Structures are given as structure tokens and as C-alpha cells.
Amino acid sequence: RVKRAGGGHAAFQRQEDQRATQQVERLTALHRAIERDELRLYFQPVVQAESRAMVGYEALLRWIRPSGIVNPLDFIPLAESSGLIIPIGRWVLKEAVGVLNSGAVQEVCVNVSALEIRQPDFVEHLRWVLEESGIEPRRLCLELTESSMLEPRFAAVLHEVHSLGVHTALDDFGNGYSSLTAMTSLPVHVVKIDRSFTMDIGEGTPGGVRALEVVRGIVAMANAYGLPTVAEGVETPEQADLLTQVGCAYLQGYLFGRPEPLPLR
Ligand code: C2E
Ligand code: CA
Ligand code: CA
Ligand code: CA
């Protein structure tokens, strides 16, 4: 019995070692991703709910490796824990502004990590990128999640970004520790309702009616503060119609288009 337990432990240790080695290999590869030109922005359309007219895109990061395409949830955590998110975030911003400059798209939202917000020179760098490119700042929107709200400088950064004329979105609203403070007292332009709500709504879904009422509540609350809402993860015509009915101003999801690389059709 003792022997078996020991064998189990050794196997466990081997697995752990393998995992650690894999992490180190991945980190080394991620280090080189920028210089090897392996990062790409994919673009997913956002439509106006009533007209279904396209109004802009969200830029979503992809890592194109020889072995396949890696999604952000599989490398952003590593990028954050290693600090690589800073150069990666700068690459994303530069790339998005370049795409705006090329005229390929009219408006782009980019995702910003809490760690980027923490950088003392975050706004200075943003200002520099904007000046360099000469684009109209309001064509760019920064999506900030609730984890950014825990950053001590969050409010200050929002005010500074606002004064540059760049738009901001509260991303993943309702998912995690929702801070109403951000919605009610800080300069943001739009509230993005998390996909977890969109997923649940609909007549056929258990709890679907209640989920819709929650969304109706979020929309009303946001509207009371003068903020329009975007519903994420819209996959079915029924979801789109219900969300439109409860007053969501914008919709985003596979129903209207998946994230795609340039050139966009
Ligand atoms: P997010 O900001 O909530 O982005 C929306 C995610 O939902 C995207 O996943 C998108 O592809 C996916 N999605 C959109 N519509 C639908 C739908 O109808 N159904 C379903 N099932 N999924 C849908 P993605 O591209 O894998 O990105 C995941 C997360 O990674 C993003 O969540 C964002 O938090 C983060 N991320 C992506 N790009 C960047 C980036 O450039 N910088 C940083 N810091 N984070 C990023
Ligand atoms: Ca987002
Ligand atoms: Ca989101
Ligand atoms: Ca989300």
C-alpha cells in the first residue's frame, strides 16, 4: 500500500514537472510572440439593436502559433502573471490605432487589463499613441472590467482617458463584484452586459424570464445614468429581439458575426 502511494506521488510529481516545463516553454514562446509577429487582432461587429446596423468592432486578441490559434483566455493569464501583458497591451493599442488609421473600420473597442491600468505611464502612452497617429480619439474605446475597478488609480485613469476624448466601456457588467460606483460616478460611455445574462434569457431557458428581468433592470439603471448598454454573446434571434425590447441599445455576438481577422468583408 505504501509502495502504491509512493508510486502515485512520483507520478503526480512527474505530472507537476511536466506542467511546469510546459508553462516555461509557453512563457518563452509568448516572449517572442511579438517579435515573431504571431499576434493578431480579430474584429467582432457590434450592431445597433433597433436597426441592426453595424456601428463598430471589438478587437479580440489571437496568438497564431505554428501549432494553431491560441485564444486569449489561454494566454492572457500567463501574460498578466509574467508582466508580458504590458508590451502585449501596447502592441494591441498600436495595432488598433493603425487599423483605425487605415480606414478599415470606423470605431474600435480594445480590452485593457487591470495591470495596464496600474502602470503609472498608461495614460501618457495612450496620449502619445493618439498624437502620433492623429486619429480622432473618440473612434477608440477602452473596455475595462470590474477587476480594474480594484486598482487604486482606476478613477483617476478614467478621468484622464475621458479628458483625452477616448471612450470607455464597463466590460462584463454584472459578472463578479459589480461596482455601481463606476457606472454612477465615473466618466464611462457604455455598459457591456456580460454574456452570462444573455445566455440565460429566452422563453425556453430555465430561469429565462427572470434573467430577462435582470437585464431589464441593468438597462434601466444604466439609462438612468445616461448610459447605453451593449449585450454580449447574442447567439439567437430570440435573444436579440428580447434584448431589443428591454432597451439594450447595442448587440454583439455570433448571430451578427464572429471575431474575424482583417480584411473584413
Ligand atoms: P470579453 O472582453 O468578454 O470578449 C468577449 C468574448 O466572447 C470573446 O472571447 C468573444 O470571442 C466571445 N464571444 C463573442 N460573441 C460570442 C457569442 O455569441 N457566443 C460565445 N459563446 N462567445 C462569444 P475571446 O476572443 O476568446 O476573448 C476572451 C477574453 O479575453 C475577452 O473577454 C477579454 O477579457 C480577453 N481579451 C481578448 N482580447 C484581449 C486583449 O487584447 N487584451 C486583454 N487584456 N484582454 C483581452
Ligand atoms: Ca471586452
Ligand atoms: Ca465582455
Ligand atoms: Ca464577457
Side-chain angles (χ1 to χ4, degrees):
R1 245 172 81 200
V2 169
K3 212 171 175 183
R4 247 211 348 248
H9 179 75
F12 175 73
Q13 189 61 48
R14 251 194 327 275
Q15 261 185 9
E16 283 292 282
D17 289 351
Q18 262 175 18
R19 198 166 302 151
T21 309
Q22 258 174 22
Q23 281 290 91
V24 171
E25 278 169 8
R26 194 158 249 225
L27 185 57
T28 311
L30 189 55
H31 256 287
R32 298 189 187 128
I34 295 180
E35 55 197 69
R36 287 187 178 167
D37 195 28
E38 291 178 343
L39 298 181
R40 287 287 177 280
L41 287 184
Y42 278 33
F43 295 88
Q44 185 180 35
V46 178
V47 305
Q48 197 167 33
E50 289 284 355
S51 64
R52 306 285 155 97
M54 225 262 302
V55 291
Y57 291 90
E58 176 175 3
L60 294 156
L61 192 55
R62 297 290 181 269
W63 179 14
I64 318 291
R65 300 197 67 182
S67 53
I69 300 179
V70 191
N71 283 325
L73 294 180
D74 292 327
F75 69 92
I76 296 273
L78 183 61
E80 288 183 331
S81 63
S82 62
L84 281 175
I85 192 66
I86 303 305
I88 290 175
R90 288 182 171 203
W91 180 88
V92 167
L93 185 64
K94 182 169 145 259
E95 189 72 9
V97 165
V99 168
L100 284 169
N101 228 345
S102 75
V105 302
Q106 191 47 38
E107 282 180 29
V108 165
C109 293
V110 299
N111 292 282
V112 176
S113 149
L115 259 94
E116 295 177 72
I117 300 288
R118 197 179 297 170
Q119 299 303 302
D121 62 350
F122 175 76
V123 176
E124 203 42 56
H125 179 256
L126 176 63
R127 187 198 321 273
W128 180 79
V129 170
L130 288 170
E131 271 172 17
E132 183 94 329
S133 72
I135 61 148
E136 232 185 305
R138 62 197 187 85
R139 293 175 64 199
L140 180 69
C141 176
L142 305 185
E143 299 199 353
L144 307 162
T145 60
E146 285 159 355
S147 61
S148 290
M149 295 170 205
L150 303 176
E151 294 297 319
R153 294 197 69 252
F154 181 69
V157 168
L158 263 187
H159 282 288
E160 288 165 21
V161 167
H162 181 73
S163 73
L164 290 180
V166 171
H167 282 195
T168 49
L170 281 187
D171 204 357
D172 297 344
F173 190 85
N175 175 21
Y177 10 62
S178 280
S179 162
L180 291 183
T181 317
M183 181 155 92
T184 58
S185 65
L186 294 174
V188 296
H189 294 85
V190 63
V191 171
K192 296 192 80 167
I193 301 170
D194 195 62
R195 185 165 73 83
S196 55
F197 295 101
T198 305
M199 257 166 60
D200 284 349
I201 66 175
E203 301 258 291
T205 331
V209 174
R210 191 180 46 198
L212 185 65
E213 288 316 307
V214 172
V215 172
R216 195 196 298 277
I218 296 175
V219 170
M221 201 158 54
N223 288 350
Y225 288 99
L227 299 175
T229 53
V230 183
E232 303 182 328
V234 182
E235 293 183 353
T236 69
E238 188 197 9
Q239 290 169 345
D241 292 342
L242 291 170
L243 289 161
T244 307
Q245 275 167 34
V246 299
C248 263
Y250 304 101
L251 307 173
Q252 181 181 354
Y254 294 167
L255 180 63
F256 306 103
R258 289 183 177 251
E260 279 184 36
L262 290 175
L264 301 163
R265 285 163 288 147

mmCIF file of all heavy atoms in Angstrom, residues 7-32:
data_model
loop_
_atom_site.group_PDB
_atom_site.id
_atom_site.type_symbol
_atom_site.label_atom_id
_atom_site.label_comp_id
_atom_site.label_asym_id
_atom_site.label_seq_id
_atom_site.Cartn_x
_atom_site.Cartn_y
_atom_site.Cartn_z
ATOM 1 N N GLY A 7 4.296 5.405 -5.447
ATOM 2 C CA GLY A 7 4.273 5.451 -6.904
ATOM 3 C C GLY A 7 3.351 6.550 -7.387
ATOM 4 O O GLY A 7 3.681 7.296 -8.302
ATOM 5 N N GLY A 8 2.183 6.651 -6.716
ATOM 6 C CA GLY A 8 1.218 7.687 -7.071
ATOM 7 C C GLY A 8 1.826 9.065 -6.921
ATOM 8 O O GLY A 8 1.665 9.916 -7.779
ATOM 9 N N HIS A 9 2.574 9.217 -5.862
ATOM 10 C CA HIS A 9 3.184 10.516 -5.610
ATOM 11 C C HIS A 9 4.197 10.879 -6.704
ATOM 12 O O HIS A 9 4.216 11.986 -7.210
ATOM 13 C CB HIS A 9 3.857 10.541 -4.244
ATOM 14 C CG HIS A 9 4.517 11.848 -3.964
ATOM 15 N ND1 HIS A 9 3.788 12.973 -3.635
ATOM 16 C CD2 HIS A 9 5.801 12.244 -4.023
ATOM 17 C CE1 HIS A 9 4.606 13.982 -3.485
ATOM 18 N NE2 HIS A 9 5.837 13.580 -3.719
ATOM 19 N N ALA A 10 5.004 9.852 -7.066
ATOM 20 C CA ALA A 10 6.007 10.093 -8.103
ATOM 21 C C ALA A 10 5.340 10.488 -9.418
ATOM 22 O O ALA A 10 5.783 11.405 -10.100
ATOM 23 C CB ALA A 10 6.875 8.844 -8.284
ATOM 24 N N ALA A 11 4.238 9.786 -9.716
ATOM 25 C CA ALA A 11 3.514 10.095 -10.948
ATOM 26 C C ALA A 11 2.970 11.524 -10.899
ATOM 27 O O ALA A 11 3.050 12.266 -11.871
ATOM 28 C CB ALA A 11 2.362 9.104 -11.142
ATOM 29 N N PHE A 12 2.460 11.849 -9.721
ATOM 30 C CA PHE A 12 1.929 13.192 -9.534
ATOM 31 C C PHE A 12 3.036 14.232 -9.732
ATOM 32 O O PHE A 12 2.861 15.237 -10.425
ATOM 33 C CB PHE A 12 1.333 13.308 -8.126
ATOM 34 C CG PHE A 12 0.861 14.676 -7.782
ATOM 35 C CD1 PHE A 12 -0.301 15.178 -8.351
ATOM 36 C CD2 PHE A 12 1.579 15.472 -6.899
ATOM 37 C CE1 PHE A 12 -0.734 16.449 -8.042
ATOM 38 C CE2 PHE A 12 1.151 16.744 -6.589
ATOM 39 C CZ PHE A 12 -0.011 17.231 -7.161
ATOM 40 N N GLN A 13 4.222 13.923 -9.141
ATOM 41 C CA GLN A 13 5.359 14.833 -9.245
ATOM 42 C C GLN A 13 5.750 15.017 -10.711
ATOM 43 O O GLN A 13 6.033 16.126 -11.155
ATOM 44 C CB GLN A 13 6.531 14.280 -8.421
ATOM 45 C CG GLN A 13 7.696 15.248 -8.287
ATOM 46 C CD GLN A 13 7.265 16.525 -7.576
ATOM 47 O OE1 GLN A 13 6.627 16.486 -6.530
ATOM 48 N NE2 GLN A 13 7.562 17.668 -8.160
ATOM 49 N N ARG A 14 5.751 13.871 -11.447
ATOM 50 C CA ARG A 14 6.119 13.940 -12.865
ATOM 51 C C ARG A 14 5.164 14.854 -13.631
ATOM 52 O O ARG A 14 5.564 15.661 -14.434
ATOM 53 C CB ARG A 14 6.100 12.528 -13.475
ATOM 54 C CG ARG A 14 7.484 12.013 -13.786
ATOM 55 C CD ARG A 14 7.513 10.782 -14.676
ATOM 56 N NE ARG A 14 6.415 9.854 -14.533
ATOM 57 C CZ ARG A 14 6.363 8.866 -13.606
ATOM 58 N NH1 ARG A 14 7.354 8.700 -12.750
ATOM 59 N NH2 ARG A 14 5.336 8.049 -13.552
ATOM 60 N N GLN A 15 3.879 14.662 -13.317
ATOM 61 C CA GLN A 15 2.863 15.500 -13.971
ATOM 62 C C GLN A 15 3.080 16.973 -13.682
ATOM 63 O O GLN A 15 3.005 17.821 -14.560
ATOM 64 C CB GLN A 15 1.472 15.114 -13.447
ATOM 65 C CG GLN A 15 0.731 14.189 -14.363
ATOM 66 C CD GLN A 15 -0.684 13.947 -13.851
ATOM 67 O OE1 GLN A 15 -1.132 14.599 -12.917
ATOM 68 N NE2 GLN A 15 -1.372 13.028 -14.460
ATOM 69 N N GLU A 16 3.374 17.235 -12.397
ATOM 70 C CA GLU A 16 3.611 18.622 -11.979
ATOM 71 C C GLU A 16 4.801 19.208 -12.724
ATOM 72 O O GLU A 16 4.759 20.335 -13.197
ATOM 73 C CB GLU A 16 3.868 18.692 -10.466
ATOM 74 C CG GLU A 16 2.618 18.580 -9.641
ATOM 75 C CD GLU A 16 1.707 19.786 -9.802
ATOM 76 O OE1 GLU A 16 2.009 20.825 -9.188
ATOM 77 O OE2 GLU A 16 0.724 19.709 -10.558
ATOM 78 N N ASP A 17 5.877 18.385 -12.816
ATOM 79 C CA ASP A 17 7.087 18.840 -13.505
ATOM 80 C C ASP A 17 6.782 19.140 -14.965
ATOM 81 O O ASP A 17 7.225 20.137 -15.517
ATOM 82 C CB ASP A 17 8.189 17.775 -13.423
ATOM 83 C CG ASP A 17 8.749 17.647 -12.006
ATOM 84 O OD1 ASP A 17 8.399 18.494 -11.160
ATOM 85 O OD2 ASP A 17 9.511 16.692 -11.766
ATOM 86 N N GLN A 18 6.003 18.232 -15.564
ATOM 87 C CA GLN A 18 5.646 18.425 -16.971
ATOM 88 C C GLN A 18 4.883 19.725 -17.166
ATOM 89 O O GLN A 18 5.144 20.484 -18.085
ATOM 90 C CB GLN A 18 4.760 17.268 -17.442
ATOM 91 C CG GLN A 18 5.533 16.196 -18.188
ATOM 92 C CD GLN A 18 4.638 15.024 -18.517
ATOM 93 O OE1 GLN A 18 3.411 15.156 -18.489
ATOM 94 N NE2 GLN A 18 5.222 13.893 -18.835
ATOM 95 N N ARG A 19 3.959 19.942 -16.234
ATOM 96 C CA ARG A 19 3.147 21.151 -16.323
ATOM 97 C C ARG A 19 4.028 22.396 -16.200
ATOM 98 O O ARG A 19 3.883 23.345 -16.942
ATOM 99 C CB ARG A 19 2.077 21.129 -15.228
ATOM 100 C CG ARG A 19 0.954 22.069 -15.500
ATOM 101 C CD ARG A 19 -0.225 21.770 -14.601
ATOM 102 N NE ARG A 19 -0.713 20.406 -14.745
ATOM 103 C CZ ARG A 19 -1.309 19.712 -13.770
ATOM 104 N NH1 ARG A 19 -1.449 20.253 -12.579
ATOM 105 N NH2 ARG A 19 -1.759 18.508 -13.994
ATOM 106 N N ALA A 20 4.968 22.334 -15.229
ATOM 107 C CA ALA A 20 5.871 23.468 -15.012
ATOM 108 C C ALA A 20 6.719 23.720 -16.257
ATOM 109 O O ALA A 20 6.887 24.861 -16.684
ATOM 110 C CB ALA A 20 6.756 23.203 -13.798
ATOM 111 N N THR A 21 7.232 22.624 -16.851
ATOM 112 C CA THR A 21 8.044 22.758 -18.061
ATOM 113 C C THR A 21 7.223 23.375 -19.188
ATOM 114 O O THR A 21 7.683 24.258 -19.901
ATOM 115 C CB THR A 21 8.560 21.367 -18.506
ATOM 116 O OG1 THR A 21 9.166 20.735 -17.385
ATOM 117 C CG2 THR A 21 9.561 21.491 -19.630
ATOM 118 N N GLN A 22 5.988 22.891 -19.315
ATOM 119 C CA GLN A 22 5.098 23.437 -20.348
ATOM 120 C C GLN A 22 4.885 24.940 -20.179
ATOM 121 O O GLN A 22 4.900 25.694 -21.141
ATOM 122 C CB GLN A 22 3.735 22.758 -20.250
ATOM 123 C CG GLN A 22 3.516 21.690 -21.304
ATOM 124 C CD GLN A 22 2.202 20.955 -21.050
ATOM 125 O OE1 GLN A 22 1.320 21.479 -20.379
ATOM 126 N NE2 GLN A 22 2.093 19.764 -21.584
ATOM 127 N N GLN A 23 4.707 25.338 -18.926
ATOM 128 C CA GLN A 23 4.489 26.760 -18.624
ATOM 129 C C GLN A 23 5.701 27.593 -19.042
ATOM 130 O O GLN A 23 5.561 28.654 -19.633
ATOM 131 C CB GLN A 23 4.220 26.973 -17.120
ATOM 132 C CG GLN A 23 2.817 26.642 -16.717
ATOM 133 C CD GLN A 23 1.804 27.643 -17.270
ATOM 134 O OE1 GLN A 23 1.273 27.450 -18.362
ATOM 135 N NE2 GLN A 23 1.555 28.710 -16.536
ATOM 136 N N VAL A 24 6.897 27.069 -18.691
ATOM 137 C CA VAL A 24 8.124 27.789 -19.018
ATOM 138 C C VAL A 24 8.277 27.895 -20.537
ATOM 139 O O VAL A 24 8.607 28.943 -21.080
ATOM 140 C CB VAL A 24 9.362 27.107 -18.379
ATOM 141 C CG1 VAL A 24 10.650 27.735 -18.894
ATOM 142 C CG2 VAL A 24 9.287 27.201 -16.862
ATOM 143 N N GLU A 25 7.969 26.789 -21.228
ATOM 144 C CA GLU A 25 8.080 26.794 -22.693
ATOM 145 C C GLU A 25 7.119 27.806 -23.306
ATOM 146 O O GLU A 25 7.462 28.550 -24.220
ATOM 147 C CB GLU A 25 7.768 25.398 -23.245
ATOM 148 C CG GLU A 25 8.963 24.472 -23.182
ATOM 149 C CD GLU A 25 8.604 23.025 -23.470
ATOM 150 O OE1 GLU A 25 7.431 22.762 -23.869
ATOM 151 O OE2 GLU A 25 9.483 22.174 -23.291
ATOM 152 N N ARG A 26 5.897 27.815 -22.752
ATOM 153 C CA ARG A 26 4.877 28.712 -23.267
ATOM 154 C C ARG A 26 5.265 30.183 -23.019
ATOM 155 O O ARG A 26 5.085 31.037 -23.870
ATOM 156 C CB ARG A 26 3.547 28.406 -22.575
ATOM 157 C CG ARG A 26 2.396 29.035 -23.270
ATOM 158 C CD ARG A 26 1.135 28.326 -22.918
ATOM 159 N NE ARG A 26 0.639 27.620 -24.091
ATOM 160 C CZ ARG A 26 -0.639 27.651 -24.441
ATOM 161 N NH1 ARG A 26 -1.508 28.317 -23.727
ATOM 162 N NH2 ARG A 26 -1.042 27.019 -25.509
ATOM 163 N N LEU A 27 5.855 30.414 -21.838
ATOM 164 C CA LEU A 27 6.276 31.765 -21.484
ATOM 165 C C LEU A 27 7.375 32.245 -22.425
ATOM 166 O O LEU A 27 7.354 33.377 -22.913
ATOM 167 C CB LEU A 27 6.756 31.789 -20.025
ATOM 168 C CG LEU A 27 7.128 33.158 -19.459
ATOM 169 C CD1 LEU A 27 5.968 34.129 -19.568
ATOM 170 C CD2 LEU A 27 7.558 33.012 -17.996
ATOM 171 N N THR A 28 8.334 31.336 -22.712
ATOM 172 C CA THR A 28 9.415 31.677 -23.637
ATOM 173 C C THR A 28 8.829 32.010 -25.011
ATOM 174 O O THR A 28 9.219 32.983 -25.644
ATOM 175 C CB THR A 28 10.395 30.482 -23.774
ATOM 176 O OG1 THR A 28 10.724 30.044 -22.462
ATOM 177 C CG2 THR A 28 11.633 30.877 -24.520
ATOM 178 N N ALA A 29 7.876 31.195 -25.435
ATOM 179 C CA ALA A 29 7.251 31.402 -26.743
ATOM 180 C C ALA A 29 6.471 32.718 -26.769
ATOM 181 O O ALA A 29 6.503 33.453 -27.756
ATOM 182 C CB ALA A 29 6.328 30.238 -27.067
ATOM 183 N N LEU A 30 5.783 33.001 -25.669
ATOM 184 C CA LEU A 30 4.988 34.231 -25.606
ATOM 185 C C LEU A 30 5.889 35.458 -25.652
ATOM 186 O O LEU A 30 5.561 36.479 -26.248
ATOM 187 C CB LEU A 30 4.126 34.227 -24.332
ATOM 188 C CG LEU A 30 3.074 35.331 -24.186
ATOM 189 C CD1 LEU A 30 2.127 35.362 -25.374
ATOM 190 C CD2 LEU A 30 2.284 35.131 -22.886
ATOM 191 N N HIS A 31 7.088 35.318 -25.009
ATOM 192 C CA HIS A 31 8.089 36.385 -25.053
ATOM 193 C C HIS A 31 8.414 36.783 -26.482
ATOM 194 O O HIS A 31 8.635 37.929 -26.805
ATOM 195 C CB HIS A 31 9.392 35.908 -24.391
ATOM 196 C CG HIS A 31 9.600 36.474 -23.037
ATOM 197 N ND1 HIS A 31 9.951 37.790 -22.839
ATOM 198 C CD2 HIS A 31 9.495 35.929 -21.812
ATOM 199 C CE1 HIS A 31 10.059 38.004 -21.538
ATOM 200 N NE2 HIS A 31 9.779 36.899 -20.884
ATOM 201 N N ARG A 32 8.470 35.761 -27.341
ATOM 202 C CA ARG A 32 8.901 36.001 -28.727
ATOM 203 C C ARG A 32 7.735 36.285 -29.663
ATOM 204 O O ARG A 32 7.941 36.559 -30.844
ATOM 205 C CB ARG A 32 9.658 34.775 -29.238
ATOM 206 C CG ARG A 32 10.905 34.516 -28.429
ATOM 207 C CD ARG A 32 11.729 33.423 -29.114
ATOM 208 N NE ARG A 32 12.843 33.054 -28.253
ATOM 209 C CZ ARG A 32 13.142 31.808 -27.885
ATOM 210 N NH1 ARG A 32 12.430 30.803 -28.348
ATOM 211 N NH2 ARG A 32 14.163 31.567 -27.103
#
